[in-house]
Amino acid sequence: MTCPTFVPATKAAQTMKRITVAKGDGIGPEIMDATLAIIKAAGAQLEVDEIEVGEKVYLSGNTAGIAKESWDTIRKNKIFLKAPITTPQGGGYKSLNVTTRKFLGLYSNIRPCRSLHPFVSTKHPVMDVVIVRENEEDLYAGIEHQQTDEVVQCLKLISRPGCEKIVRYAFEYAKQNGRKKVTCFTKDNIMKQTDGLFHQVFDEIAREYPMLENEHWIIDIGAAKMADTPEAFDVIVMPNLYGDVLSDVAAQITGSVGLAGSANIGEECAMFEAIHGSAPRRAGMDMANPSGLLQGAILMLAHIGQGDVAEKVQNAWLRTIEEGIHTYDIFKEGVSTKKVGTKAFAEAVIANLGKRPEKLQAVYFGGNAEMDLPKFKRKPARKKELQGVDLFVHWAGTDPDTIGGMMEGIAVPGTALNMITNRGIKVYPEGYPETFCTDHWRCRFKATEGNTFNKQHIMDLMKQALEKDIDVIKTENLYAFDGVRSYSLGQGQ
Ligand code: NAD
């Protein structure tokens, strides 16, 4: 269904943007109507194609919650403003959010978390942090295997394109939004390859933005600092899992989870939403707070190059909040001045368009430039040298010297057993009897002095293991790139 355009056709010809809108379930339609009314009144240059997603579509037998024609509309318009939807319990229904992110390659999740003290209670009155979370890879690739009776594995995949895209996005976002500093959180003191790559790419790209301060924190102390002193941070970029956890922490400690919006950005498409759900118990009561979705819409306007409208809406919204005009969820005697419903809140924001907050800090959206995000360019291939192989073995014994003897019995000329680890800790040769061992052993073979390792060695090692009834459950090749060892040593090696 195509809704009426927001602006007269003559003006529309210059900057009109066609977007896809889904009103969703529960409180979705009410907060979407309020949001669209506000941005329309502020002068957003938008044409809207409305699609149906969510509960009705799921219950019609479509387990994805979205029809093919709706996908086509989303892909054609590229910009998607989505109200929350209800995912029915059980029945194998797939999360539309996860599917949308993956199908559309929405690699970047942006969540601004700002305190509205003293109008919304928080322990952190001056917090104004933007979490930029990588959205497609890391442990969320969902590649998991049970390998032995006792051990399961989840693959953490971090790619250079993934790192470059998200880190560049964080710096571009900071530049466009008048931010001063970009911080990177990783755990690269432990995960030297995966988080190490993220950190390395951060350092490389930071050099292209000398006007912005940059710093790196180890995630554990960084997270503690963010929860304790969030005013020390500005924009924080991090891999997927850390970002998932910390974006919720950051939204929660502003005191206003219900007021937060988020953007999911890809190279082609982008989706904008509130971070809360469809609150079915409040549906149809004109009670819900439309602010979370409005924040999503503001991110959308800035993204599509309508920063002046975004700024106008945000400042009117801040003004309304500080006037104490509050929906039930943030209403507080003594702080709030008027309890309003969804529609009346939207009307109050519209009445404040053109005004700026007097107590809260007004925002700046850096004009109407669309973000300049270059596409990833693959670097020339590096020199790749095979140095050995890890054979992962399922063995139910507990004595490392016994499995050491078994593996030493595999004799492939030009190779030798280098070490055995159990859950990463070296246990052979010269392990400690105190080390607890599971049934999952990594046995590393490398070339002996004066020999070079090759793939035939792997085949021969596997063949001998098979003949000796050794249960190899997987192998991992050991490479050096441009002469640099690119695999971890055993802990204690
Ligand atoms: P919820 O966010 O809908 O509600 C949590 C609490 O916050 C409830 O008390 C609710 O009344 C309140 N609340 C939420 N938004 C509000 C608003 N705008 N104004 C005032 N109060 C608000 O979370 P839930 O109850 O766990 O989930 C309900 C449904 O939403 C589930 O079907 C879930 O799958 C879905 N959900 C959808 C999304 C999404 O589409 N992005 C996200 C989360 C949950």
Side-chain angles (χ1 to χ4, degrees), residues 27 31 82-87 97 273-282 288-289 328-329:
I27 58 171
I31 60 173
K82 183 181 130 322
I85 59 165
T86 304
T87 310
N97 277 352
E273 60 186 344
I275 71 169
H276 60 72
S278 56
R281 284 191 309 127
R282 306 285 177 197
N289 190 342
Y328 83 93
D329 53 312

Side-chain angles (χ1 to χ4, degrees), residues 294-422:
L294 185 64
Q295 290 304 310
I298 288 167
L299 287 165
M300 175 187 78
L301 291 168
H303 178 77
I304 62 176
Q306 299 188 22
D308 53 349
V309 187
E311 203 170 299
K312 194 170 169 185
V313 174
Q314 182 72 333
N315 286 329
W317 177 75
L318 290 168
R319 177 72 173 246
T320 309
I321 296 286
E322 70 176 26
E323 283 174 351
I325 302 173
H326 293 166
T327 42
Y328 83 93
D329 53 312
I330 56 168
F331 185 87
K332 200 169 172 193
E333 284 303 342
V335 177
S336 309
T337 54
K338 195 172 172 193
K339 192 188 266 181
V340 291
T342 314
K343 282 192 191 128
F345 182 80
E347 282 158 15
V349 177
I350 290 169
N352 278 335
L353 286 169
K355 293 185 197 155
R356 293 164 72 81
E358 289 175 341
K359 296 172 198 114
L360 294 166
Q361 205 188 341
V363 293
Y364 163 76
F365 276 102
N368 286 339
E370 275 189 59
M371 231 184 259
D372 178 23
L373 292 167
K375 290 213 169 182
F376 174 76
K377 283 200 204 82
R378 183 163 283 166
K379 292 193 170 43
R382 289 181 291 164
K383 185 168 170 289
K384 185 174 160 192
E385 178 203 349
L386 186 62
Q387 295 192 333
V389 68
D390 283 342
L391 304 187
F392 288 78
V393 172
H394 181 179
W395 182 65
T398 53
D399 174 30
D401 287 341
T402 305
I403 186 169
M406 280 160 53
M407 300 311 290
E408 299 275 12
I410 296 179
V412 173
T415 75
L417 181 68
N418 173 260
M419 61 150 191
I420 299 177
T421 67
N422 196 290

Side-chain angles (χ1 to χ4, degrees), residues 60 81 83 95 102 113 115 165 201 242 321 383 417 456 460:
S60 74
L81 181 63
S95 158
K102 293 247 168 181
C113 299
S115 296
K165 287 196 293 186
V201 168
Y242 312 140
I321 296 286
K383 185 168 170 289
L417 181 68
Q456 188 58 50
D460 295 344

